[in-house]
Structures are given as C-alpha cells and as structure tokens.
Amino acid sequence: MATKTKTPARTKTKSTPAASRKTPAKKDAAKELKDLFEDSLKDIYWAEKALTKALPKMQKNATDEKLKKAIGDHLNQTKEHVERLEECFKALGKKAQAKKCDAMQGLLDEGKSIMEETKPGAVRDAGIIAASQKVEHYEIATYGTLAAYAKVLKEDKCLKYLLKTLGEEKKCDELLTSIADTALNKKAMNA
Ligand code: FE
Ligand code: FE
C-alpha cells in the first residue's frame, strides 16, 4: 500500500489581481460631470452621423413596405438628431466635434453581418429589425443619460433637445416592435 504524501500548500502571492485594480485615467480624462457630458455628446454625435450612412443600406435590404417606410422616416429624424446635437454644442459654446463611438461601430458591424447571414425577404427583415432595435436601445440609454446630466448641470437648452430626440428614439423602437409583432416574425417563421 502506497503511503500518502501530503502535497505542500502553495505559497500565496500577495499582489492584487489585475481584475481588481483600478483603471488608470488617461491624461485628458474628464474631471467633472460637465467634461463627461461633453465627451458623451461627441460620442453620440459620431454615432448619429454614422447612422445617417448606415440606414439607407438597411432600407435597401428590407422587403416589407412598412419596415422600409419606418427606416426611411427614421433616417430623416436621424438627420435632425445630428442637427440637434450641433445645437447642443452651440448652447455650450463649443465646436461640434465627433469622437468615434466603438459601441455604435460594433452594433453597425453586427447589423451588416446579420444581413449577410440572412436571405432577402421576411427572415432578413426580422434580422434588420433586431439589429435596428439594438441601435435604438443604445440611443435610448445614451440620450436618457445625457438628459439626466443636462438636468443636473442646468443646461436647459441641451435638455430640451436631448429629450426631444429621446422621445423619437423611443417611438421608433415601439414602431419596430409593432411591425415585428403584427406580421413579420410569423412570416419569417413560415419562410
Ligand atoms: Fe438618433
Ligand atoms: Fe434612432
């Protein structure tokens, strides 16, 4: 019978694991809420501009007439969203500046691949709705946060513009849900 030998306990290192360490701030990192507000405006400004280029492609790929119209209408609204953000920058006495939004880029990439991975017709339409709603939800989260910042910062002009856009993003999301619910998803199921 073999004798049991005890394995020696490993010596624990005392250094902090990387995951629990604080992320060091960049040199130009935002110090105040106002800075974070302006940075976030630059992000969504980039995102809205990117959407004015991406939506026509999505519209071209859609088959359902209601969906085509919804995307076309929202494209026109999106152009207004860009203008409203320019008004926000103006109200803050800042030059309108776009900063690449990695999250929106990711959502748009996903939208592109969903179109490549679906045959044109009801199934691709369902995919386009899914991708569009992810975009709308991102915008709703962003404008909700920006409006909350504008409120505490007492940037009333910005708040008015941000809330107007937020309302349109929510309406668009609801419309997409109703288009999917009424007919499209069933059609996609039977395709
Ligand atoms: Fe928008
Ligand atoms: Fe939108």
Side-chain angles (χ1 to χ4, degrees):
M1 210 176 134
T3 46
K4 273 184 188 169
T5 46
K6 236 184 173 182
T7 35
R10 271 197 207 151
T11 42
K12 277 183 189 165
T13 46
K14 283 233 170 108
S15 68
T16 331
S20 61
R21 258 180 245 147
K22 270 188 189 166
T23 308
K26 286 184 186 170
K27 257 193 179 162
D28 61 346
K31 284 192 201 77
E32 296 168 14
L33 188 65
K34 183 97 186 266
D35 303 328
L36 182 59
F37 179 57
E38 284 170 17
D39 280 350
S40 309
L41 281 174
K42 289 176 192 173
D43 263 53
I44 194 70
Y45 185 51
W46 185 95
E48 293 283 18
K49 283 176 133 188
L51 281 168
T52 61
K53 289 178 205 147
L55 286 174
K57 187 104 203 256
M58 283 195 170
Q59 191 187 28
K60 221 179 232 174
N61 274 278
T63 306
D64 182 87
E65 284 309 318
K66 267 193 201 160
L67 179 57
K68 268 184 179 297
K69 189 182 179 298
I71 298 172
D73 290 346
H74 198 57
L75 171 63
N76 291 330
Q77 286 182 331
T78 300
K79 288 175 187 165
E80 285 178 43
H81 299 172
V82 171
E83 285 168 18
R84 270 179 220 143
L85 288 169
E86 285 164 356
E87 289 300 324
C88 283
F89 283 111
K90 213 174 168 184
L92 295 169
K94 300 272 169 182
K95 200 177 98 205
Q97 216 181 317
K99 199 175 124 204
K100 191 181 175 192
C101 171
D102 293 329
M104 184 56 77
Q105 183 64 67
L107 289 170
L108 293 177
D109 288 346
E110 195 182 301
K112 195 173 164 241
S113 56
I114 228 171
M115 291 194 276
E116 288 164 355
E117 284 157 15
T118 47
K119 288 226 169 92
V123 177
R124 183 172 293 184
D125 282 356
I128 289 173
I129 291 187
S132 306
Q133 285 194 288
K134 286 181 192 177
V135 168
E136 293 317 312
H137 283 225
Y138 179 78
E139 289 185 296
I140 291 166
T142 303
Y143 281 106
T145 301
L146 282 170
Y149 290 172
K151 204 172 172 187
V152 292
L153 292 168
K154 298 198 167 39
E155 294 292 348
D156 294 342
K157 255 192 183 170
C158 291
L159 178 62
K160 199 184 81 193
Y161 291 126
L162 295 167
L163 288 177
K164 189 155 193 206
T165 298
L166 177 62
E168 289 176 1
E169 310 291 17
K170 283 184 180 170
K171 276 251 166 68
C172 176
D173 180 53
E174 282 163 19
L175 178 62
L176 289 169
T177 297
S178 81
I179 293 173
D181 279 352
T182 44
L184 254 180
N185 284 348
K186 266 189 204 136
K187 240 197 241 169
M189 203 171 73
N190 300 321

